Amino acid sequence: MSQKRKRQPSPSAGIAKDGKYRRLIKRIWFYRFYYLLALPGILYFIIFHYIPMFGIVIAFKDISPFGGVAGIIEAPWVGFKHFNRFFNSIFFWNVIENTVVISGLKIIFGFPAPILFALMLNEIARVKFKRFVQTVSYLPHFISWVVTTGLVTALLATSGGLVTEILNDLTDERWSFLTNPDQFRGILTMSHVWKTVGWSSILYLAGMAAIDPALYEAAAIDGANRFQMARYITIPSIAFVITILFIFEIGNLLDAGFEQILLLYSPAVYSVSDIIDTYVYREGLLGLKYSFSAAVGLFKGVMAFLFLIATNTLANRLGQPGLW
C-alpha cells in the first residue's frame, strides 16, 4: 500500500501570511495617533478592571485582612463557605427584595424620564432657551451624592427640614420623611430622577439630531401633528438607543445606589432600604471580612452577567439590535 504523503505548506501561503501582518502593521502605524488617544482608556480598564479580577480567588479562601499578598496566597481554601453564609443569612431575602424593588422603582420612573425630557427639548424652537434648559438640567449630574443628600436632608429632615417645618405648621402634624419606611423609597427615587434626568437625555438628543428632517417635512405635508411625529418618527428612530441603554439598566439591577442610600438611611428604615451593598459594607468591610465581601461581589457580578445576556437575547428576539 502506498503511504500518503504529508501535504507541505505552500510557499505562497507563507508569503500571503507575511503580507497580511505587514498590512496590519502599516494600518496600525497609519492610525497611530488614534491608538495613542485610546491608550489611556485601555490602560484604565486593564489596570483597574481586568487585573483586579485575579482577586476573585479570595472569595474561595479565608484570608486575614493583615496578611498582605502572602496571606492571600497562603490562605486556606474554603470553597463556597462565604457564599453559603450569605445565602443562609437571615438578611438575605430582605436585602435582595430591597435591592430589586429600589432598582425597579428607579428604572420604572428614572428610565422613561430622560426620554420624555429629550422629546420635550426636541420640540423647543428657540435655540437659546433650549440650550439654557439643557445646561440647567445637566447641573445636578455634577453635584456629588454627598451634596445632593445634604440638600435632601436640609429639606426633609425630621427636625429643622424646610419642607417638614412648613408642613408641620400648615397641618399641625409631625411629619417624618427620612425615618418613615412608607416614604423613604419614594425619596430615593425622586432624588435619583432629579439628579440623572438631564444628563441621561444627552444620548437621546444625539440620536434625535441624526434623524433626517425630510421625514418630519413629509409627515407635516401628510397632516401629522407634533405628537404623531414624535410617536411615529422620533421614538422609532431612537429605538436602538433606548434598547441598548435599557439592557445596561437591567444589567445594573443589583446596584441600587450604594452611596445615595448610605448617606440617607438610618436604622428606622433598614427594613425597606438595606440593600446588598450596604449589608456587605456593614458585615464585610467594617467587620474586616474581606472574603465574605468578595463572595457577595462575585455573586452580584454573575447575576448581572446573566441579566445582561437574558435582556440582550430578549431584545434580539423582539427585532431590536442588542449589544451583540
Side-chain angles (χ1 to χ4, degrees), residues 177-234:
F177 294 101
L178 296 179
T179 56
N180 189 333
D182 296 330
Q183 299 169 347
F184 189 76
R185 287 174 176 171
I187 294 171
L188 292 177
T189 305
M190 287 188 294
S191 57
H192 167 79
V193 172
W194 174 79
K195 193 175 188 303
T196 60
V197 64
W199 186 258
S200 300
S201 66
I202 292 177
L203 290 177
Y204 301 114
L205 288 170
M208 293 175 189
I211 300 174
D212 188 356
L215 296 175
Y216 294 108
E217 294 172 3
I221 293 173
D222 291 337
N225 56 36
R226 302 304 300 179
F227 175 78
Q228 291 171 329
M229 291 181 190
R231 180 180 177 183
Y232 294 107
I233 298 176
T234 308

Side-chain angles (χ1 to χ4, degrees), residues 130-151:
K130 181 178 180 179
R131 289 177 179 173
F132 172 76
V133 173
Q134 284 181 281
T135 303
V136 172
S137 66
Y138 296 163
L139 290 179
H141 171 78
F142 299 100
I143 301 175
S144 69
W145 272 117
V146 176
V147 177
T148 303
T149 53
L151 292 173

Side-chain angles (χ1 to χ4, degrees), residues 111-121:
F111 185 74
I115 301 174
L116 296 174
F117 183 67
L119 288 171
M120 289 188 289
L121 280 179

